[in-house]
Amino acid sequence: MKIIKSLFLVLVAMALASCGNATDSDTGPTIEEAWGQFEQGDYEKALETFEKLNSAEATEGAGWSALFLDSLNFAEAKFKENAGEQRDDSNAGWSLALWTIGNYSKSVERADIVLANDPGYSFSHYNSFNADDLIWLQAASYYHLVNYSKCIEKIKMLDSSFSASVSDPDIARILLQKLEELDSL
């Protein structure tokens, strides 16, 4: 009987020990940790942490981290993974990545999606990137696509006092100068 009792106590002790106190390394990284690293500007560490997680938000975070590391094609691929999710932060980052790569038409489309969903959009993990930046990306995209009337339309959304005519022989220079003035990215 003593042996059975002792064996039972050993088994209980082993069971309790195996449940034990989980440490951070046992539980793995969290999405909050990854965003914290991103918000602190440690984009390499954030990317590494996001890549260990499996969710649409982690994919989005990996895209933004890669974007800030100038890994544009990788960032675009990450945002594209979330295409079916219709996540505003993914589409906003994708718009920026596409613009930077030079795919201006697609950049405008992604920005349109975000602005239609949330006209007052602001990226919560980097508040200085917002709806105005998306409108600027659209204006600059239209400039590169030589669609000056649409460029003017978008610029007027950022500065209602702006006035220009597509028939002005200097329109390209005028628009470029205004875009440079409005550039906050």
Side-chain angles (χ1 to χ4, degrees), residues 3-81:
I3 293 176
I4 293 174
K5 212 179 208 184
S6 296
L7 185 57
F8 176 73
L9 288 175
V10 169
L11 290 174
V12 169
M14 286 176 33
L16 289 174
S18 68
C19 293
N21 295 330
T23 63
D24 287 341
S25 63
D26 293 339
T27 60
T30 65
I31 196 75
E32 291 79 15
E33 287 175 55
W35 281 121
Q37 294 161 342
F38 177 88
E39 290 168 1
Q40 292 170 9
D42 192 349
Y43 305 120
E44 287 181 25
K45 184 69 174 165
L47 178 59
E48 182 181 307
T49 305
F50 282 124
E51 288 287 276
K52 292 176 183 174
L53 302 168
N54 185 21
S55 70
E57 186 176 356
T59 300
E60 184 172 272
W64 276 99
S65 298
L67 190 58
F68 278 74
L69 292 168
D70 289 327
S71 296
L72 303 175
N73 292 321
F74 183 76
E76 181 192 8
K78 285 298 178 183
F79 293 130
K80 195 173 191 175
E81 282 183 44

Side-chain angles (χ1 to χ4, degrees), residues 120-164:
Y121 172 79
S122 181
F123 181 41
S124 62
H125 300 287
Y126 192 79
N127 291 331
S128 64
F129 188 81
N130 57 39
D132 286 348
D133 295 307
L134 290 170
I135 294 167
W136 185 90
L137 287 174
Q138 290 180 316
S141 292
Y142 285 126
Y143 175 83
H144 287 288
L145 294 168
V146 194
N147 187 338
Y148 295 150
S149 61
K150 290 295 263 183
C151 179
I152 292 168
E153 179 184 314
K154 294 297 179 177
I155 288 174
K156 284 185 176 187
M157 292 175 75
L158 299 171
D159 179 359
S160 59
S161 67
F162 180 71
S163 179

